[in-house]
Amino acid sequence: MRALSRVQEWYGPHSSTAAEWPVDALMLAKGTTTVSVVLPARDEESTVGDIVTVIRRDLVERTPLVDEILVVDSNSTDATAERAREAGARVVAQNEVLANLPELTGKGEALWKGLAASRGDIVVFVDADLRSFGAHYISGLVGPLLVDADTHFVKATYERPYIGADGVAQQGGGGRVTELVARPLINLFWPELAGFAQPLGGEYAARRAVLEQVPFVTEYGVEFGLLVDLLQLVGLDAMAQVDLGRRTHSHQSMAALGRMAGQIMLTAWSRLERQGRVMASEPPAHMMLQFGLDGDADLVDVAVAERPPLASLVLKEDVA
């Protein structure tokens, strides 16, 4: 009950809608603060160009709220890089950023490399598969950061329908891994974070100085890990959420969602261990046996690696 009371106390002052952060007002607050938008993208040729075009047109050319649009091409096999570049983004290949380090895979790796390659004081992460993107996604997320110096991290919330194979939206059907895995874990072990309606959402913004102080899980546990780590680093009152309205995007198969769930559970376990809340004689297994609709079994690895805080690498280079 104490945790619920804390969430209720936090929720009102730290929750808002995108409409509360008009671009003209944000330009007055922006000053010399620079803003980078980073899109991790793998085989998203059908959507990434449209997203970049909206940002460039509305938030660079029409009103200069955004200083940099960066797309991290995560080993795409299609024309993702070309579409992003044509639309006006700077494109970097994931494995060419900090190329002296061993190559890793996964969404979190692309985000970490994007943080390293970008320059802005505020970094906004946006998934590249969005079909409902609007400029208000960016202005809504940076609003609290530009206006309130005590806010360090802003997470998006939204209505997230599930789009079936027939193209019909099922209200409340999206976010299956959130409801079945992430939300129960948060309420059990980090109940202060229970007020975040979309803890696994890929749209969020933070100050670079804060992001560079936390590790990044390389796979799909990255959003979960960032929430938990930032809670420990900056505290709940430095975190906020903004309602962006409606979010539609491509959906993954049930098998892919199962692998994602395993990665999130391993990420949660690692944070519990790091915080001294669990002890085990041996680490959790990371191989998972999955069964398809045809009954065939597939053994998959859901292990997650982790990149260290970026600031620690910079510090080592400075010392060297």
Side-chain angles (χ1 to χ4, degrees), residues 19-140:
E20 296 176 56
W21 307 104
V23 174
D24 290 345
L26 296 183
M27 288 304 299
L28 296 175
K30 176 177 165 66
T32 60
T33 303
T34 53
V35 176
S36 293
V37 178
V38 175
L39 293 89
R42 179 175 181 140
D43 296 335
E44 301 295 354
E45 63 179 5
S46 66
T47 51
V48 67
D50 291 340
I51 296 172
V52 171
T53 295
V54 170
I55 300 171
R56 175 184 51 77
R57 182 192 65 212
D58 294 350
L59 300 177
V60 176
E61 297 173 351
R62 185 174 297 165
T63 306
L65 182 68
V66 170
D67 301 278
E68 178 182 36
I69 308 170
L70 178 70
V71 170
V72 182
D73 183 20
S74 184
N75 304 310
S76 295
T77 59
D78 66 2
T80 290
E82 290 83 353
R83 296 292 89 78
R85 196 174 288 112
E86 290 167 357
R90 180 165 72 94
V91 179
V92 297
Q94 176 178 299
N95 293 337
E96 293 178 6
V97 179
L98 299 175
N100 58 308
L101 298 177
E103 293 181 4
L104 296 175
T105 62
K107 181 185 181 183
E109 174 75 350
L111 294 175
W112 189 76
K113 292 292 186 69
L115 177 62
S118 61
R119 312 181 189 95
D121 303 315
I122 292 173
V123 180
V124 187
F125 292 117
V126 176
D127 281 350
D129 65 343
L130 299 179
R131 300 173 181 171
S132 57
F133 181 80
H136 67 285
Y137 274 44
I138 308 300
S139 55

